[in-house]
Amino acid sequence: MSKKVPTPSPDFYRNNSTLKWVVLVVSVLISISSIYYTNILVDQLKERERQQVQLYAKAIEYTANDENTYGDVNFIAQEILFQNNSIPIIQVGDSTKVLSFRNLDMDENWPEEKKTSFLTAEMEMMRGTYEPIQVTLRDPQTGEVFGTQYIYYKNSFLLKQLIAYPYIQLSVIAIFGFIAYLAFNYSKAAEQNQVWVGLAKETAHQLGTPLSSLMAWVEVLREDPEVKHKGVIDELEKDIQKLRMVTERFSSIGSVPSLKKENVVALINNVVNYLRPRVSSKIRMEVFTLSENIFANVHAPLFEWVIENLCKNAVDAMGNTGTIAIKILRGNEGKVFIDVSDTGKGIPRSKIDHVFRPGFTTKKRGWGLGLTLAKRIIEAYHNGKIFVKSSEESQGTTFRIVLNVV
């Protein structure tokens, strides 16, 4: 007893894109929340550092203006001024002359010219970051202002790290998410491949029994002298051969097909000659080529299957009348181009990107797997390409296949 092979619901593939958008929106909301909360912490730390710099400035002002504090200068310097070992600071006088600086990456062995240039550049950067804090110098006896100094500062290394942290965090999350996305897609593709292989093998197995029976019945009919229309038996044999080829095609799904150098013009003519008597007489099927000998590396049964699928889709798109034109061209760099055109109803632009997805179909009946299988056969097994070259509503559609000669 054969096992049933589960097939993915078409709704799963249709909703997959929506699920990705939901995940993306949630990720963006989490990112915005993370940046917003980090910015709150950054603002708080900025305010704290400004208060520290203000305290630093007040300490300088206090020690400079009060003559009664000289005994406590050492204590103030140790407890307030020298405790700042993280916030970069530059103290300048009225003439913008640098009086002192702290926590700057400056080598003491630098020449004076380089030091001056470095301090000037740092001061300009600090000026653009925060307003300097003013230190007013007064005469201890009279209280008269005799000078002004300014304290320039910028963010400490810790604050810079905190500002950069959410972006680093989000970058790591994005990289991890991208890796997870690739892993998910790979596992999904592997699962789909197993479904395709199982479905194909089971179909080939199920076709085997009635096919053997049909072959036996054809032999019985051929030997029956009362059968007058022997041409009917010949057509039945052609159909049986076709079923055998279909069985071989399904058996080839999942295994690595051996590609051979084949005359694609002859293969396409075989398909067209088989389909002509089996479609409406009002449908013309034409093959155009500049040479009867154009070769490419293909697996003949699978390649013919692709051409047959495209032609059958074209017949469905045209109804009872129209033209199917197949053009075979040699391309550059060892390529062969095959264009399959019809004069059918065309594909809306909004749906062109979906035609190769499993479950996509414009017919009332059908699984929507023909073009999906065609894409898998051409791109996965032949290392080629298949795509919609052009399509206009009520004008027709052209599919292009690109094969490799070598």
Side-chain angles (χ1 to χ4, degrees), residues 299-316:
H299 183 272
L302 291 180
F303 174 72
E304 289 182 350
W305 193 5
V306 172
I307 299 299
E308 184 178 325
N309 268 331
L310 292 178
C311 291
K312 286 183 176 179
N313 280 348
V315 170
D316 292 334

Side-chain angles (χ1 to χ4, degrees), residues 28 72 121 125 148 166 171 230 239 259 320 363 365 388 390:
V28 170
D72 299 326
M125 182 188 302
T148 305
S171 299
K230 297 297 183 180
D239 287 334
L259 304 182
N320 295 323
K363 297 179 289 187
R365 294 183 180 181
V388 178
S390 63

Side-chain angles (χ1 to χ4, degrees), residues 31 115 125 151 266 349 353 402:
S31 302
K115 288 182 179 179
M125 182 188 302
I151 306 296
R349 289 187 178 182
D353 293 336
V402 181

Side-chain angles (χ1 to χ4, degrees), residues 90 92 96 98 104 106 110 113-129 152-154:
I90 297 178
V92 300
T96 68
V98 176
L104 293 176
M106 186 175 71
W110 286 354
E113 183 178 349
K114 185 175 181 180
K115 288 182 179 179
T116 302
S117 176
F118 174 79
L119 290 173
T120 301
E122 285 290 321
M123 190 168 62
E124 289 299 321
M125 182 188 302
M126 293 176 179
R127 192 198 309 273
T129 305
Y152 292 88
Y153 73 102
K154 64 180 182 179

Side-chain angles (χ1 to χ4, degrees), residues 265-331:
V265 177
L267 295 178
I268 291 173
N269 280 323
N270 290 339
V271 175
V272 171
N273 292 333
Y274 174 80
L275 291 176
R276 273 196 183 115
R278 289 165 175 79
V279 299
S280 171
S281 58
K282 295 181 180 180
I283 293 179
R284 292 179 11 183
M285 302 183 71
E286 301 175 344
V287 178
F288 300 95
T289 178
L290 297 177
S291 172
E292 293 297 326
N293 297 298
I294 298 179
F295 293 87
N297 286 338
V298 298
H299 183 272
L302 291 180
F303 174 72
E304 289 182 350
W305 193 5
V306 172
I307 299 299
E308 184 178 325
N309 268 331
L310 292 178
C311 291
K312 286 183 176 179
N313 280 348
V315 170
D316 292 334
M318 293 186 297
N320 295 323
T321 181
T323 301
I324 299 175
I326 303 176
K327 297 179 182 179
I328 310 168
L329 305 169
R330 285 194 182 96

Side-chain angles (χ1 to χ4, degrees), residues 75-119:
F75 171 80
I76 293 173
Q78 292 295 329
E79 296 299 322
I80 297 180
L81 301 184
F82 298 152
Q83 284 299 314
N84 173 30
N85 55 10
S86 61
I87 306 173
I89 286 176
I90 297 178
Q91 180 183 355
V92 300
D94 287 331
S95 60
T96 68
K97 179 182 178 181
V98 176
L99 302 177
S100 65
F101 58 88
R102 293 184 60 80
N103 306 317
L104 293 176
D105 295 329
M106 186 175 71
D107 192 342
E108 292 296 332
N109 296 323
W110 286 354
E112 289 300 322
E113 183 178 349
K114 185 175 181 180
K115 288 182 179 179
T116 302
S117 176
F118 174 79
L119 290 173

Side-chain angles (χ1 to χ4, degrees), residues 27 170-186:
S27 302
L170 294 178
S171 299
V172 172
I173 294 175
I175 294 172
F176 177 78
F178 179 69
I179 295 174
Y181 175 78
L182 292 179
F184 171 76
N185 274 2
Y186 176 80

